Amino acid sequence: MITLYLHGRAACDARTLESFLARARPVYEAPGGIRVRLQWSLTEPGAFVEIMEYRDRVTYAADQVRVEQDPAMRALIDEWHTLLASPPRVEAYEDVTLEPATGPATRRSGDSRAPDDGRAGRPLVVHRYGRPGRPRVVLLHGLTDAGTTWPDLVRHWDDDWDVSAPDLRGHGRSPRFTDDELDRAPDVMLADVLDLLDAQPAPVVLVGHSLGGLLALRAALERPDAVRALVLEDPAKPDGIPTREGDRTVFVAHPDVVTGVESSLVATERDRAAEVARMRRETAWSDAEIEAWADSRPLVDRAYVQRGLFLGDLAWEELFAALAVPTLLVLPGDAPMAPRPDLVDNPLVRRVAVDGAGHCVRRDQPAAYHAAVDAFLTEHIGRRE
């Protein structure tokens, strides 16, 4: 079962919202396999959670198409938004509670994963923001971040986009890596992203930062028909130490990289307040970005940092040369990881360098990042009226 939790605050009295839901509920539930509920907060006046339960992935995917294409649904959703103090925060979950085995394992209806890929029943946690029915954007965060670490971008896009932001595996509230998965972490994480793209009702805008940028790049190469446009914020360049494993060469993370990431996580774990204060002194990030960054760090799978922190195949410039979707590279002025422009002859790939920004361009220089990305998306997707 797929469940959406829409957290909001009413701009009207309780009776008005309840009356609207009583009128809208039959329309929401008309296709069957859908249940809608409303829960008021006991501690925060006006705060509520609207819960939408879908029987399976097929039902959920079909309803996402209905939300985007059915004028009656669009009208109800627009009316619902007028009753809210601000756009709701949306979270999506899949119930994967395991029942006692009664026979050979079977593939669930609507499950896009192969039954033997080692990840069945272990989906990512996906955070939903923005406005349902608008064009869909999928955000892939960087190392040690989470789907909750995009607060300024989410606020900037609140009225224009329907935003999905997963916690990558080993991050946030998504599943941890198994021992076997740690040995092939890049492939597991890419498979997760491909599953997410396969579950979308229509092609999406794919946005990635750092590790998420590398995953977005690889996913766009695997599923070009599922990606309308690609935005890569200083994507992580694959790097590692080659080692022999049987008759093949594999790459493992540099020990100094692992040590640096672990030390940074430990510092936040030991004294969150001190790290937040340091970030306020040393960066231009907003308080919302710093707080979200600090909140995500204790949720990182430390086994992944210790054993899975390698990025797989070292191919780089050739990946950009092979892209078949409009792509925007948003880079800091000094971008050591960026692909060499003389080795990427692809008219679909555009670069924007932002002076004064470091690796986290959107946090260091948000106005420049938003201007570049909004212009690119307007050109390739059109304006959201």
Side-chain angles (χ1 to χ4, degrees):
M1 180 172 68
I2 305 290
T3 305
L4 297 187
Y5 296 91
L6 296 88
H7 302 261
R9 185 176 295 277
C12 58
D13 59 81
R15 182 172 297 179
T16 299
L17 186 60
E18 291 167 4
S19 175
F20 166 80
L21 188 60
R23 175 165 51 86
R25 184 176 174 183
V27 180
Y28 289 165
E29 297 181 344
I34 304 173
R35 183 187 180 204
V36 180
R37 293 183 288 142
L38 177 67
Q39 296 182 350
W40 289 105
S41 171
L42 294 177
T43 58
E44 298 182 47
F48 69 88
V49 180
E50 186 172 322
I51 302 171
M52 304 193 70
E53 298 173 339
Y54 298 88
R55 179 175 52 218
D56 52 32
R57 287 191 177 198
V58 173
T59 306
Y60 170 69
D63 196 56
Q64 297 302 292
V65 174
R66 186 170 66 123
V67 165
E68 294 184 2
Q69 299 181 359
D70 186 338
M73 283 290 290
R74 293 290 295 274
L76 280 173
I77 290 170
D78 287 342
E79 181 181 353
W80 180 61
H81 273 271
T82 67
L83 305 178
L84 306 184
S86 60
R89 176 171 60 87
V90 186
E91 295 183 329
Y93 297 87
E94 182 175 18
D95 187 346
V96 294
T97 306
L98 298 179
E99 302 297 337
T102 57
T106 58
R107 186 175 178 179
R108 291 175 298 170
S109 174
D111 193 337
S112 64
R113 299 185 182 92
D116 60 351
D117 69 357
R119 300 172 302 112
R122 305 179 68 237
L124 303 181
V125 168
V126 179
H127 306 270
R128 295 287 300 279
Y129 308 97
R131 297 191 64 177
R134 299 293 189 182
R136 179 71 55 82
V137 173
V138 175
L139 307 177
L140 303 182
H141 64 79
L143 179 67
T144 77
D145 277 350
T148 53
T149 56
W150 305 85
D152 290 352
L153 185 58
V154 165
R155 183 169 55 252
H156 178 72
W157 279 348
D158 252 346
D159 291 330
D160 292 333
W161 299 94
D162 179 357
V163 180
S164 290
D167 294 342
L168 297 176
R169 191 168 297 270
H171 296 73
R173 296 201 298 272
S174 279
R176 310 294 88 174
F177 287 85
T178 66
D179 283 345
D180 174 64
E181 288 170 345
L182 286 171
D183 294 333
R184 49 190 178 89
D187 294 335
V188 171
M189 298 180 92
L190 176 58
D192 284 337
V193 174
L194 295 178
D195 275 355
L196 190 62
L197 290 180
D198 290 342
Q200 302 304 310
V204 302
V205 173
L206 191 57
V207 177
H209 170 240
S210 193
L211 170 63
L214 175 60
L215 291 170
L217 170 62
R218 289 172 170 168
L221 290 168
E222 292 281 343
R223 298 285 194 278
D225 292 341
V227 178
R228 299 177 70 182
L230 181 65
V231 177
L232 305 176
E233 178 190 358
D234 204 19
K237 180 179 180 179
D239 192 10
I241 300 173
T243 62
R244 295 296 297 177
E245 187 176 275
D247 59 352
R248 65 192 184 104
T249 299
V250 298
F251 296 86
V252 297
H254 286 283
D256 56 342
V257 173
V258 175
T259 300
V261 173
E262 279 206 291
S263 298
S264 178
L265 294 176
V266 168
T268 309
E269 187 177 89
R270 288 178 176 170
D271 195 337
R272 180 188 187 280
E275 282 298 284
V276 167
R278 179 184 64 80
M279 293 297 285
R280 285 176 177 154
R281 290 192 309 269
E282 297 179 3
T283 76
W285 298 8
S286 70
D287 279 351
E289 288 286 346
I290 292 172
E291 293 290 340
W293 167 87
D295 287 343
S296 71
R297 295 166 75 74
L299 304 178
V300 177
D301 183 356
R302 300 289 277 277
Y304 166 66
V305 173
Q306 294 161 3
R307 291 181 46 202
L309 197 57
F310 58 99
L311 300 180
D313 193 314
L314 299 187
W316 194 228
E317 279 82 7
E318 54 264 51
L319 300 186
F320 292 89
L323 280 168
V325 300
T327 299
L328 179 66
L329 262 171
V330 186
L331 304 168
D334 178 18
M337 293 193 298
R340 287 174 49 182
D342 58 313
L343 297 180
V344 180
D345 183 17
N346 187 339
L348 291 174
V349 178
R350 183 182 307 172
R351 292 169 174 248
V352 171
V354 179
D355 291 333
H359 180 52
C360 297
V361 180
R362 74 179 188 283
R363 289 160 164 165
D364 294 336
Q365 297 288 342
Y369 175 90
H370 294 156
V373 175
D374 287 350
F376 172 76
L377 294 181
T378 296
E379 177 184 349
H380 292 285
I381 309 300
R383 295 187 180 276
R384 277 72 57 202
E385 302 297 341

